[in-house]
PDB file of all heavy atoms in Angstrom:
ATOM      1  N   LEU A  41     -22.919  88.456 112.078  1.00 97.00           N
ATOM      2  CA  LEU A  41     -23.378  87.366 111.205  1.00 97.00           C
ATOM      3  C   LEU A  41     -23.883  87.945 109.884  1.00 97.00           C
ATOM      4  O   LEU A  41     -24.519  88.986 109.852  1.00 97.00           O
ATOM      5  CB  LEU A  41     -24.472  86.557 111.891  1.00 97.00           C
ATOM      6  CG  LEU A  41     -24.017  85.806 113.151  1.00 97.00           C
ATOM      7  CD1 LEU A  41     -25.201  85.144 113.840  1.00 97.00           C
ATOM      8  CD2 LEU A  41     -22.947  84.777 112.818  1.00 97.00           C
ATOM      9  N   ASN A  67     -34.412  98.338 119.467  1.00 90.00           N
ATOM     10  CA  ASN A  67     -34.563  99.739 119.871  1.00 90.00           C
ATOM     11  C   ASN A  67     -34.586 100.703 118.685  1.00 90.00           C
ATOM     12  O   ASN A  67     -35.174 101.772 118.767  1.00 90.00           O
ATOM     13  CB  ASN A  67     -33.462 100.136 120.849  1.00 90.00           C
ATOM     14  CG  ASN A  67     -33.757  99.566 122.227  1.00 90.00           C
ATOM     15  OD1 ASN A  67     -34.909  99.252 122.537  1.00 90.00           O
ATOM     16  ND2 ASN A  67     -32.725  99.413 123.041  1.00 90.00           N
ATOM     17  N   LEU A  88     -28.086  99.084 109.096  1.00 93.00           N
ATOM     18  CA  LEU A  88     -27.932  99.624 110.461  1.00 93.00           C
ATOM     19  C   LEU A  88     -26.448  99.697 110.792  1.00 93.00           C
ATOM     20  O   LEU A  88     -25.680  98.807 110.411  1.00 93.00           O
ATOM     21  CB  LEU A  88     -28.632  98.705 111.471  1.00 93.00           C
ATOM     22  CG  LEU A  88     -30.156  98.796 111.579  1.00 93.00           C
ATOM     23  CD1 LEU A  88     -30.641  97.900 112.695  1.00 93.00           C
ATOM     24  CD2 LEU A  88     -30.594 100.239 111.819  1.00 93.00           C
ATOM     25  N   ASP A 108     -48.460  80.697 120.358  1.00 96.00           N
ATOM     26  CA  ASP A 108     -48.352  79.257 120.643  1.00 96.00           C
ATOM     27  C   ASP A 108     -47.595  78.623 119.484  1.00 96.00           C
ATOM     28  O   ASP A 108     -47.094  79.337 118.602  1.00 96.00           O
ATOM     29  CB  ASP A 108     -49.744  78.629 120.814  1.00 96.00           C
ATOM     30  CG  ASP A 108     -50.628  78.846 119.591  1.00 96.00           C
ATOM     31  OD1 ASP A 108     -50.101  79.242 118.526  1.00 96.00           O
ATOM     32  OD2 ASP A 108     -51.846  78.616 119.690  1.00 96.00           O
ATOM     33  N   LYS A 127     -36.758  87.780  96.659  1.00 98.00           N
ATOM     34  CA  LYS A 127     -35.674  87.085  95.930  1.00 98.00           C
ATOM     35  C   LYS A 127     -34.403  86.923  96.765  1.00 98.00           C
ATOM     36  O   LYS A 127     -33.287  87.043  96.245  1.00 98.00           O
ATOM     37  CB  LYS A 127     -35.302  87.820  94.624  1.00 98.00           C
ATOM     38  CG  LYS A 127     -36.469  88.335  93.840  1.00 98.00           C
ATOM     39  CD  LYS A 127     -36.934  87.296  92.850  1.00 98.00           C
ATOM     40  CE  LYS A 127     -38.167  87.778  92.114  1.00 98.00           C
ATOM     41  NZ  LYS A 127     -39.130  86.752  91.838  1.00 98.00           N
ATOM     42  N   LYS A 170     -40.550  80.153  86.022  1.00 92.00           N
ATOM     43  CA  LYS A 170     -40.546  79.998  87.475  1.00 92.00           C
ATOM     44  C   LYS A 170     -40.141  81.350  88.066  1.00 92.00           C
ATOM     45  O   LYS A 170     -38.978  81.731  88.036  1.00 92.00           O
ATOM     46  CB  LYS A 170     -39.570  78.904  87.894  1.00 92.00           C
ATOM     47  CG  LYS A 170     -39.631  77.686  86.977  1.00 92.00           C
ATOM     48  CD  LYS A 170     -39.837  76.406  87.727  1.00 92.00           C
ATOM     49  CE  LYS A 170     -39.737  75.193  86.805  1.00 92.00           C
ATOM     50  NZ  LYS A 170     -40.999  74.784  86.193  1.00 92.00           N
ATOM     51  N   SER A 173     -37.822  81.384  93.509  1.00 97.00           N
ATOM     52  CA  SER A 173     -37.180  80.138  93.924  1.00 97.00           C
ATOM     53  C   SER A 173     -37.109  80.105  95.442  1.00 97.00           C
ATOM     54  O   SER A 173     -37.044  81.150  96.098  1.00 97.00           O
ATOM     55  CB  SER A 173     -35.798  79.964  93.307  1.00 97.00           C
ATOM     56  OG  SER A 173     -35.244  81.203  93.017  1.00 97.00           O
ATOM     57  N   GLN A 185     -25.650  77.584 124.289  1.00 93.00           N
ATOM     58  CA  GLN A 185     -26.039  76.357 125.005  1.00 93.00           C
ATOM     59  C   GLN A 185     -27.251  75.696 124.366  1.00 93.00           C
ATOM     60  O   GLN A 185     -27.423  74.473 124.419  1.00 93.00           O
ATOM     61  CB  GLN A 185     -26.270  76.639 126.505  1.00 93.00           C
ATOM     62  CG  GLN A 185     -27.507  77.445 126.857  1.00 93.00           C
ATOM     63  CD  GLN A 185     -27.270  78.963 126.752  1.00 93.00           C
ATOM     64  OE1 GLN A 185     -26.284  79.415 126.173  1.00 93.00           O
ATOM     65  NE2 GLN A 185     -28.181  79.743 127.300  1.00 93.00           N
ATOM     66  N   ALA A 231     -40.351  55.009  97.951  1.00 97.00           N
ATOM     67  CA  ALA A 231     -40.269  54.086  99.082  1.00 97.00           C
ATOM     68  C   ALA A 231     -39.052  53.181  98.969  1.00 97.00           C
ATOM     69  O   ALA A 231     -38.401  52.860  99.963  1.00 97.00           O
ATOM     70  CB  ALA A 231     -41.547  53.251  99.168  1.00 97.00           C
ATOM     71  N   PHE A 251     -60.826  41.343  95.033  1.00 99.00           N
ATOM     72  CA  PHE A 251     -61.071  42.725  95.495  1.00 99.00           C
ATOM     73  C   PHE A 251     -62.284  43.321  94.753  1.00 99.00           C
ATOM     74  O   PHE A 251     -62.181  44.297  94.012  1.00 99.00           O
ATOM     75  CB  PHE A 251     -59.829  43.593  95.229  1.00 99.00           C
ATOM     76  CG  PHE A 251     -58.731  43.425  96.233  1.00 99.00           C
ATOM     77  CD1 PHE A 251     -57.981  42.263  96.288  1.00 99.00           C
ATOM     78  CD2 PHE A 251     -58.423  44.439  97.144  1.00 99.00           C
ATOM     79  CE1 PHE A 251     -56.945  42.096  97.220  1.00 99.00           C
ATOM     80  CE2 PHE A 251     -57.402  44.295  98.074  1.00 99.00           C
ATOM     81  CZ  PHE A 251     -56.659  43.120  98.111  1.00 99.00           C
ATOM     82  N   ALA A 253     -65.010  45.045  95.590  1.00 99.00           N
ATOM     83  CA  ALA A 253     -65.495  46.408  95.827  1.00 99.00           C
ATOM     84  C   ALA A 253     -64.563  47.413  95.155  1.00 99.00           C
ATOM     85  O   ALA A 253     -65.002  48.355  94.487  1.00 99.00           O
ATOM     86  CB  ALA A 253     -65.592  46.676  97.326  1.00 99.00           C
ATOM     87  N   LEU A 320     -44.752  56.528 105.732  1.00 98.00           N
ATOM     88  CA  LEU A 320     -43.856  55.360 105.783  1.00 98.00           C
ATOM     89  C   LEU A 320     -42.439  55.739 105.393  1.00 98.00           C
ATOM     90  O   LEU A 320     -41.470  55.278 105.997  1.00 98.00           O
ATOM     91  CB  LEU A 320     -44.395  54.222 104.911  1.00 98.00           C
ATOM     92  CG  LEU A 320     -45.213  53.271 105.784  1.00 98.00           C
ATOM     93  CD1 LEU A 320     -46.676  53.487 105.635  1.00 98.00           C
ATOM     94  CD2 LEU A 320     -44.798  51.838 105.592  1.00 98.00           C
ATOM     95  N   THR A 367     -72.483  55.765  93.251  1.00 98.00           N
ATOM     96  CA  THR A 367     -71.109  55.504  92.781  1.00 98.00           C
ATOM     97  C   THR A 367     -70.131  56.585  93.249  1.00 98.00           C
ATOM     98  O   THR A 367     -68.926  56.436  93.091  1.00 98.00           O
ATOM     99  CB  THR A 367     -71.051  55.416  91.239  1.00 98.00           C
ATOM    100  OG1 THR A 367     -71.525  56.654  90.691  1.00 98.00           O
ATOM    101  CG2 THR A 367     -71.903  54.264  90.725  1.00 98.00           C
ATOM    102  N   GLY A 371     -64.990  55.913  98.043  1.00 98.00           N
ATOM    103  CA  GLY A 371     -63.832  55.796  98.927  1.00 98.00           C
ATOM    104  C   GLY A 371     -63.987  54.635  99.894  1.00 98.00           C
ATOM    105  O   GLY A 371     -63.064  53.823 100.075  1.00 98.00           O
ATOM    106  N   LYS A 429     -49.901  68.627 118.919  1.00 97.00           N
ATOM    107  CA  LYS A 429     -48.484  68.932 118.844  1.00 97.00           C
ATOM    108  C   LYS A 429     -48.087  69.426 117.453  1.00 97.00           C
ATOM    109  O   LYS A 429     -47.339  70.384 117.326  1.00 97.00           O
ATOM    110  CB  LYS A 429     -47.688  67.678 119.213  1.00 97.00           C
ATOM    111  CG  LYS A 429     -46.234  67.941 119.208  1.00 97.00           C
ATOM    112  CD  LYS A 429     -45.398  66.880 119.862  1.00 97.00           C
ATOM    113  CE  LYS A 429     -43.956  67.242 119.594  1.00 97.00           C
ATOM    114  NZ  LYS A 429     -43.180  66.148 119.036  1.00 97.00           N
ATOM    115  N   CYS A 434     -57.463  67.600 114.785  1.00 98.00           N
ATOM    116  CA  CYS A 434     -58.466  66.546 114.627  1.00 98.00           C
ATOM    117  C   CYS A 434     -59.519  66.734 115.706  1.00 98.00           C
ATOM    118  O   CYS A 434     -59.188  67.044 116.856  1.00 98.00           O
ATOM    119  CB  CYS A 434     -57.843  65.165 114.834  1.00 98.00           C
ATOM    120  SG  CYS A 434     -56.690  64.693 113.542  1.00 98.00           S
ATOM    121  N   PRO A 438     -68.695  61.272 116.957  1.00 98.00           N
ATOM    122  CA  PRO A 438     -69.344  60.091 117.551  1.00 98.00           C
ATOM    123  C   PRO A 438     -69.577  58.967 116.536  1.00 98.00           C
ATOM    124  O   PRO A 438     -69.600  59.213 115.339  1.00 98.00           O
ATOM    125  CB  PRO A 438     -70.686  60.655 118.027  1.00 98.00           C
ATOM    126  CG  PRO A 438     -70.989  61.757 117.066  1.00 98.00           C
ATOM    127  CD  PRO A 438     -69.668  62.329 116.635  1.00 98.00           C
ATOM    128  N   SER A 458     -76.033  55.824 102.675  1.00 98.00           N
ATOM    129  CA  SER A 458     -76.949  55.941 103.805  1.00 98.00           C
ATOM    130  C   SER A 458     -78.354  56.270 103.315  1.00 98.00           C
ATOM    131  O   SER A 458     -78.522  57.012 102.349  1.00 98.00           O
ATOM    132  CB  SER A 458     -76.453  57.042 104.736  1.00 98.00           C
ATOM    133  OG  SER A 458     -77.410  57.310 105.728  1.00 98.00           O
ATOM    134  N   LYS A 493     -57.179  75.837  98.446  1.00 97.00           N
ATOM    135  CA  LYS A 493     -57.267  76.496  97.130  1.00 97.00           C
ATOM    136  C   LYS A 493     -56.322  77.693  97.067  1.00 97.00           C
ATOM    137  O   LYS A 493     -55.677  77.929  96.060  1.00 97.00           O
ATOM    138  CB  LYS A 493     -58.699  76.980  96.923  1.00 97.00           C
ATOM    139  CG  LYS A 493     -59.489  76.146  95.923  1.00 97.00           C
ATOM    140  CD  LYS A 493     -60.785  76.865  95.586  1.00 97.00           C
ATOM    141  CE  LYS A 493     -61.410  76.436  94.280  1.00 97.00           C
ATOM    142  NZ  LYS A 493     -61.395  75.077  93.888  1.00 97.00           N
ATOM    143  N   PRO A 501     -50.872  77.104  97.518  1.00 98.00           N
ATOM    144  CA  PRO A 501     -52.107  76.506  97.028  1.00 98.00           C
ATOM    145  C   PRO A 501     -51.880  75.057  96.599  1.00 98.00           C
ATOM    146  O   PRO A 501     -50.850  74.750  96.006  1.00 98.00           O
ATOM    147  CB  PRO A 501     -52.459  77.367  95.811  1.00 98.00           C
ATOM    148  CG  PRO A 501     -51.700  78.636  95.982  1.00 98.00           C
ATOM    149  CD  PRO A 501     -50.460  78.285  96.744  1.00 98.00           C
TER     150      PRO A 501
END
Side-chain angles (χ1 to χ4, degrees):
L41 295 174
N67 284 338
L88 282 184
D108 57 14
K127 318 269 177 217
K170 318 233 186 270
S173 27
Q185 71 275 15
F251 281 71
L320 265 101
T367 59
K429 182 166 173 231
C434 292
S458 172
K493 254 191 159 39

